[in-house]
Amino acid sequence: MYAIIATGGKQYKVAEGDVIRVEKLNAEPGSEYVFDQVLAVGGEKMEIGRPVVPGAVVKATVMDQARAKKVIVYKYKRKTGYHKKNGHRQAYTELKIESITK
């Protein structure tokens, strides 16, 4: 069985036992997080929500709160001597999907 959930402005296809990285959630490592915004549930029969599947819930365990590798942002304008170097590390939450119920 799999489900499509929405969080952080993105959609993720998840199955039980999957480990995914999503935009930072306000949860402590080791705690349980419940997704109630389930867009579709698949398995033997696909059930698509309008916009969400009523009663469908995806439970996950928060494994880690961390930041991704640094991405270098370099701005440069030729002939003017302008250049600016900047870095960015995106915060994320790592989750392990425990159960999918509908």
Side-chain angles (χ1 to χ4, degrees), residues 1 11 16-17 20-21 26 32 39 55 65 79-80 96:
M1 179 182 277
Q11 297 176 2
E16 291 182 12
I20 60 170
R21 287 183 176 181
N26 192 12
E32 184 179 65
L39 305 177
Q65 295 274 14
K79 298 180 183 175
T80 62
K96 180 172 179 161

Side-chain angles (χ1 to χ4, degrees), residues 3-96:
I4 298 174
I5 60 172
T7 180
K10 299 176 181 68
Q11 297 176 2
Y12 299 90
K13 180 181 175 185
V14 297
E16 291 182 12
D18 285 355
V19 176
I20 60 170
R21 287 183 176 181
V22 298
E23 295 292 322
K24 187 172 183 343
L25 300 172
N26 192 12
E28 294 294 320
S31 66
E32 184 179 65
Y33 195 85
V34 178
F35 293 99
D36 56 354
Q37 199 169 16
V38 181
L39 305 177
V41 177
E44 299 163 7
K45 183 179 173 234
M46 180 76 166
E47 186 175 343
I48 299 173
R50 296 185 181 112
V52 295
V53 178
V57 171
V58 174
K59 293 183 181 177
T61 303
V62 178
M63 296 178 66
D64 194 17
Q65 295 274 14
R67 292 169 69 193
K69 293 181 86 172
K70 183 176 276 191
V71 176
I72 302 298
V73 180
Y74 194 78
K75 296 180 179 180
Y76 175 79
K77 299 248 188 230
R78 64 190 183 123
K79 298 180 183 175
T80 62
Y82 173 79
H83 57 92
K84 185 174 183 105
K85 184 178 180 183
N86 198 356
H88 176 74
R89 291 182 69 189
Q90 184 68 33
Y92 67 86
T93 302
E94 194 169 66
L95 300 166
K96 180 172 179 161

